[in-house]
Structures are given as structure tokens and as C-alpha cells.
Amino acid sequence: MRLIFEISKKGRRGSSLPGMDVPKMNAIPAGLRRTAAPALPEVTEQETVRHFTLLSRKNMGVDTNFYPLGSCTMKYNPKFHERVAALPGFADLHPLLPQLRNGGALTQGALAVIYELEQSLKKLLGFTRCTMQPLAGAHGELTGVMLIAAYHKDRKDGKRKIMLIPDSAHGTNPATATMAGFTSVTLSSDDQGNVDMTALRGLLSDEVAGLMLTCPNTVGLFDKNVKEVCDLVHEAGGLVYGDGANMNAILGRLRPGDLGFDVMHVNLHKTFSTPHGGGGPGAAPVGVNEKLVPFLPVSQVAKRSDGTYTLEYFHKDSIGYIAPFYGNFGILLRAYAYILTLGRGGLKRVSENAVISANYVRARLAPYFDQKYDRACMHECVFAGTRQAEKGVHTLDMAKALIDRGFHPPTIYFPLIVPEALMIEPTETESKEEIDSFIDALIEIAKLADSNPEEVVKCPVTTSVRRLDETKAARELDLACLE
Ligand SMILES: *Cc1c(COP(=O)(O)O)cnc(C)c1O
């Protein structure tokens, strides 16, 4: 593929501007004005369209390929919610418009969306209140553990500096705890992939501020001891943080607040209709029970007795601002539209189908791949590529071979407690045919790894570039190396 600067020919144009019909003002001071034209590619509209269309085809996304990226929920997001988010009454709002009187009518609808989304999430999650402010999962975590810190500080319980984090946790958990000033201590898992209860009992003390728990955990399993874990942490004076980045398995079926979680974030950009990935905008509301309500960040949307909505900024024990204005409003809006269009029954079908799909993948692939924990999974299943590794074919090689076969690879080498991990999350939005063709491709790769390992190790062979230094490719992105 030729790059747009190489296609450029002097004098070629893709647009024609009308002549200037206003007086020349020279508003830009002489010293700041350009003396030469900018070096832009000179191309026709058709060349531009072809260039970007071809470039977009080099991309893999949910709109083009099956994308079973475990822990990240790359599911299909209904286009209808994009249209809702683009409605001019929402999309063109300025965050400084007044809330009431003098134009306030313009913002009442947006405030209503934030307020009503909070009501829906409270019901879905079983919490007393939620803040809509956090801008990403990790940001929600940081908000949540700051609330835990504020709670202990308020009780003058200054000794509590330890945050317990299971060894299966997402890497953001220990990073968050450390950023919030806690010391993170690793909690081991038992041979079933649950929290090791003996280890937990041994670690609990009056220095423990809390525990960060993911349930279903990052091995795709529901921790059967979750209630007892919460009880034990509470008895020891700590609080339990829930990493609810992925809600697909329990949506409409189970309320984390009822299990004993004190605080939890949910990634709207995984479960609730915003595409996830590529560093795009996110939103991770944080739900809390009564213990933590006084510390919630500002601003908060309140409903007055006359039915109008208003923003509250002053709460004496609040941890303060954690995001400008009202969070990522467009993402809150998509989530609200998603909840309303699916309704209670639809949300339950999401979790039902997500779990059935994952267990189907697990059952069909079980003869070909090792499993560290051989039990029914939730919304994702995790295999260990250890059998293939013995033949010199590693999980990374199989991921590359999947790209050649038209599938985005699953998450690999995470969770860390599973060797050569392959973490597959098919999601509820894929058809059985699509899931079957993915499984067939993986079975074919497993067979090839056994009979002809060199064929797998040399993949990918169909892509623009072969294997890259992945760390360097992320740090020094060079799109011009496309062939
Ligand atoms: C995705 C994810 C996060 C982090 O969310 P970001 O929006 O990427 O910051 C945290 N925990 C788990 C389990 C996740 O899957």
C-alpha cells in the first residue's frame, strides 16, 4: 500500500474553497504568520477515500472480525445507541450551560440521564448510590480505594495501610492500591481458582484496609466463597472492593451489593454499549453502600421536589473532584439507552448467552487444550497452552495463527497464574456459526502444533507486517511501515 504522502502530486486537489468574501483582517500577529504553505499531501478526493478505506481494512475490529478478547469484553454494540449519543440536543451541549433558568431547560435532559442512569445502576448492582464521574476502569478503582481510605481516616483508624489483592487480579488493582497510598499484599488462590481461605485468615489483621476482589474472577470462575470472604474482611474491620469491570456474566442475575461488596466499579465501555479498546473514552461508575456515601466525589446530580434536576457540589466529607464536569457524558448516555432498550429481560439474556457461549467454547476445546481449573466457567474460559508448548508452539504462536485465519486472538498470558494462558470471551453477541468457526480454527491450529509445529511458529503470513517487537511497536508506533 502506498502512503498518502507518496500518492501526493503537486497541484492536485480534493476540494475547492470559495474566494474570500470578508475583509482581510490580519488578526494573527505578523511574527506568528506562516511564510510558506504547510506540507500537506496534495491528493484528489478519490485518492483520499481509497487511502483511508484501504487503511481501515488493515484494522481488526468487532465490526469486521470475531474478537474474543477475555477480560475486555469486545462485544458488538448496537448502532442505535450511537445514534442516541449523536442526537444534537445531547451532543452539542456545552458543559458550562446553566442548570436552571436562563437556558437551564437545555441541560435538564442531560442531568435527567445522569440521574436516571444512577437509579438503574443502583438497582442492577444493589448499591445505595453511584458516582458517574470516573473516566476508565482503573480510574473507578482509584476512586473506590480513595473512598476506602477516606472511610478509615474518618474513623481515625490510621493503621490500616494494607490492601489484599488475589494473585489472579487484573494488573490495575495493585497499581491502583499503590497509587492511593496502600501497600498491596498478594493473596493466593486455592487449587479450584477461588480465594485461598486459609491464606486469607492468615493475612487479616487490624492493619488491613480492605480487599480488592474480582467476581467472577479473572480466571472466568465464580468464587464460591465470595460471601464468606466479604464477611471475614468485614469482621476484621476492612472493606471489600469489587472489580466489576466485567458484568457480562451476572447482569440482571446477581447484585454485588447483596454479596457484601462495599464498593465496586463497572466498565460501561465493556458491558454497556460503548466499544472498548484503542484507548478510546470510557466511563466506570462506582457504586457504594451506606458506609461510603458521605465520601463520594462531587458533583452529584440530585432531583428536587419540583421534579427538576440540579448539580450538588458541596458535601463536607467528599473526596472532592476526580474528573472535570460530569464524566464522559456520551458514554453514560449510551449505557442508559442500552439499559432501556434491553430492559430487565434483555439484560438477563445477555448474561445467559454470554455464559452459555463461553461454556460451549470450553466444552468443545477441552479435548485439545489443558485447563488449570476443570469446572464450569462464567463469561470467559481460560486454557493453558502447555501441551502445545511442549512441541515448541507457544500461546503467542497460536494467537498469530488465529490472525491468519481471520480472528482476533483471545487474551494471552493473562491471568498470570495460568501458564501459557489463552483467555477466551466469546460474548453474547456472536452467532453459533461464528463461534464454531473460531473453535474449528483453534482445533486446526492445535492439530498443526502437534503434526507440523513449524507451520504455526512462522505465523502470521497474511498480514501487512509479520512479527513485531510488541513493546517497541506500542511505544514507537510507526504506521508508515505498512506494506
Ligand atoms: C478492563 C479491566 C480493568 C481496567 O479497565 P480500564 O478501563 O482499561 O482502565 C480492570 N479490571 C478488570 C478485571 C478489567 O477487565
Side-chain angles (χ1 to χ4, degrees):
M1 192 179 129
R2 287 199 302 143
L3 293 164
I4 199 148
F5 276 97
E6 295 164 6
I7 305 166
S8 179
K9 278 271 165 345
K10 202 164 173 44
R12 234 168 239 176
R13 287 288 174 272
S15 59
S16 54
L17 294 176
M20 187 138 93
D21 60 356
V22 291
K24 232 179 174 170
M25 292 223 307
N26 285 343
I28 300 172
L32 297 178
R33 269 177 246 156
R34 274 190 187 284
T35 51
L40 296 174
E42 299 183 64
V43 285
T44 63
E45 181 177 302
Q46 187 198 45
E47 286 164 330
T48 314
V49 168
R50 283 197 186 148
H51 171 77
F52 284 107
T53 306
L54 287 173
L55 206 54
S56 78
R57 288 202 208 151
K58 305 251 175 221
N59 230 342
M60 249 189 192
V62 172
D63 286 353
T64 53
N65 300 73
F66 182 47
Y67 206 137
L69 196 66
S71 191
C72 282
T73 313
M74 297 298 290
K75 65 183 181 183
Y76 181 77
N77 300 291
K79 296 290 177 256
F80 174 67
H81 303 139
E82 296 302 313
R83 283 179 65 183
V84 172
L87 288 172
F90 289 124
D92 298 344
L93 274 183
H94 192 284
L96 288 177
L97 277 170
Q99 295 162 44
L100 288 167
R101 290 187 286 277
N102 304 329
L106 293 174
T107 56
Q108 282 294 303
L111 294 181
V113 167
I114 300 176
Y115 182 87
E116 294 302 335
L117 177 62
E118 182 186 347
Q119 307 314 307
S120 299
L121 289 176
K122 272 162 47 178
K123 267 189 237 156
L124 259 173
L125 305 173
F127 285 118
T128 315
R129 284 217 65 176
C130 302
T131 169
M132 299 294 134
Q133 301 274 340
L135 307 170
H139 194 204
E141 289 174 34
L142 183 64
T143 307
V145 294
M146 282 167 71
L147 296 173
I148 294 180
Y151 169 85
H152 291 307
K153 189 164 174 228
D154 185 61
R155 293 160 58 98
K156 313 215 164 16
D157 202 352
K159 255 202 324 202
R160 297 188 181 269
K161 288 283 169 225
I162 293 174
M163 192 61 75
L164 299 178
I165 302 176
D167 55 7
S168 63
H170 195 271
T172 46
N173 292 185
T176 298
T178 307
M179 274 192 75
F182 292 107
T183 306
S184 62
V185 171
T186 306
L187 178 59
S188 49
S189 306
D190 67 15
D191 58 4
Q192 287 296 298
N194 301 316
V195 164
D196 184 328
M197 298 305 282
T198 316
L200 175 63
R201 287 198 181 87
L203 287 171
L204 284 172
S205 73
D206 59 0
E207 287 179 31
V208 169
L211 163 71
M212 295 181 85
L213 192 65
T214 313
C215 189
N217 64 19
T218 56
V219 204
L221 302 173
F222 192 87
D223 195 319
K224 291 186 181 138
N225 302 323
V226 60
K227 228 167 171 311
E228 200 187 341
V229 170
C230 293
D231 290 345
L232 283 176
V233 175
H234 289 148
E235 272 165 34
L239 295 183
V240 184
Y241 183 91
D243 181 336
N246 311 291
M247 278 278 123
N248 254 25
I250 58 173
L251 214 50
R253 291 174 183 276
L254 175 99
R255 303 183 345 145
D258 300 340
L259 288 178
F261 287 100
D262 298 289
V263 43
M264 171 183 256
H265 78 275
V266 288
N267 280 23
L268 300 186
H269 53 289
K270 280 182 184 170
T271 310
F272 295 92
S273 203
T274 286
H276 168 262
V286 172
V288 297
N289 62 17
E290 260 125 48
K291 292 179 212 162
L292 295 172
V293 169
F295 313 109
L296 280 174
V298 286
S299 58
Q300 295 165 21
V301 180
K303 193 174 184 176
R304 298 178 164 178
S305 52
D306 65 358
T308 58
Y309 299 92
T310 180
L311 283 163
E312 292 180 339
Y313 294 95
F314 304 105
H315 288 276
K316 110 178 141 37
D317 295 321
S318 165
I319 58 167
Y321 286 93
I322 50 118
F325 297 111
Y326 322 115
N328 271 332
F329 177 70
I331 291 169
L332 304 178
L333 184 54
R334 285 173 179 84
Y336 186 51
Y338 183 75
I339 291 171
L340 286 187
T341 45
L342 268 75
R344 201 179 161 72
L347 293 174
K348 283 178 98 163
R349 276 177 54 207
V350 165
S351 44
E352 179 177 16
N353 288 330
V355 172
I356 289 174
S357 297
N359 279 289
Y360 179 67
V361 172
R362 196 181 85 86
R364 275 204 63 198
L365 287 177
Y368 304 92
F369 294 92
D370 293 333
Q371 286 178 80
K372 185 162 176 190
Y373 312 107
D374 187 7
R375 49 185 266 222
C377 63
M378 297 297 285
H379 59 299
E380 55 200 0
C381 55
V382 181
F383 290 99
T386 32
R387 214 182 298 173
Q388 289 74 22
E390 278 167 24
K391 292 271 183 175
V393 174
H394 292 272
T395 290
L396 179 71
D397 304 318
M398 295 192 276
K400 302 294 183 197
L402 275 171
I403 297 175
D404 276 345
R405 286 156 182 79
F407 300 98
H408 192 286
T411 295
I412 57 174
Y413 301 108
F414 178 77
L416 304 177
I417 54 173
V418 176
E420 297 282 335
L422 267 162
M423 185 190 214
I424 304 167
E425 181 178 359
T427 82
E428 77 283 6
T429 62
E430 296 295 334
S431 67
K432 178 167 180 294
E433 293 76 18
E434 188 65 31
I435 294 176
D436 274 330
S437 47
F438 168 77
I439 294 170
D440 292 342
L442 211 43
I443 292 175
E444 186 221 320
I445 294 165
K447 287 181 176 161
L448 207 55
D450 191 45
S451 63
N452 207 352
E454 317 78 65
E455 285 299 306
V456 187
V457 173
K458 72 176 190 208
C459 295
V461 295
T462 61
T463 48
S464 305
V465 287
R466 301 288 293 275
R467 292 207 189 186
L468 301 169
D469 175 330
E470 301 199 348
T471 312
K472 218 169 158 219
R475 294 277 178 280
E476 297 167 24
L477 189 65
D478 178 11
L479 293 177
C481 70
L482 286 175
E483 283 142 26

